[in-house]
Amino acid sequence: MLAVNYTNLRDNMKSYMDQITDDYETMIVTRKNNKNVVMMSEEAYNNLMENVYVMGNKANYDWVMESKAQLEGKKFSSHELSEVEENE
């Protein structure tokens, strides 16, 4: 996670925005009176919101945790995917 003050951000906005989007960084912009702001890419934000939604529902959370336990316990099987015709 990066941290930068407002003045530095303003003077180097494009560079910081490129770093945030290209390197999947999150940045804290420090401001007076501790009114800080967090900057992240839209992709990172959407991923965060999806995780909040999935993990915010007890049934979804339990399903994910059960799946994780099965994976860690090697209780899974793999198989080849079948091709689907274009007209299906």
Side-chain angles (χ1 to χ4, degrees):
M1 182 177 294
L2 305 172
V4 64
N5 65 37
Y6 174 78
T7 303
N8 194 349
L9 173 66
R10 185 184 61 225
D11 293 344
N12 300 288
M13 181 72 80
K14 182 185 181 321
S15 173
Y16 282 122
M17 291 174 97
D18 288 344
Q19 191 171 2
I20 289 167
T21 57
D22 296 345
D23 300 337
Y24 302 100
E25 283 285 355
T26 303
M27 177 181 292
I28 297 174
V29 182
T30 58
R31 300 171 63 210
K32 290 181 183 176
N33 299 323
N34 218 18
K35 293 185 174 185
N36 300 339
V37 174
V38 175
M39 288 180 63
M40 65 175 55
S41 70
E42 180 182 18
E43 182 180 359
Y45 173 79
N46 288 338
N47 183 280
L48 175 65
M49 298 315 312
E50 182 176 353
N51 281 309
V52 166
Y53 173 77
V54 169
M55 295 308 210
N57 178 303
K58 175 118 173 74
N60 284 343
Y61 178 81
D62 291 344
W63 178 77
V64 169
M65 291 300 106
E66 180 183 340
S67 298
K68 180 181 176 208
Q70 289 173 354
L71 182 62
E72 290 171 345
K74 301 191 185 313
K75 296 178 181 176
F76 63 91
S77 61
S78 63
H79 58 87
E80 295 292 320
L81 296 177
S82 58
E83 294 289 325
V84 176
E85 296 295 324
E86 268 189 49
N87 58 0
E88 288 185 45

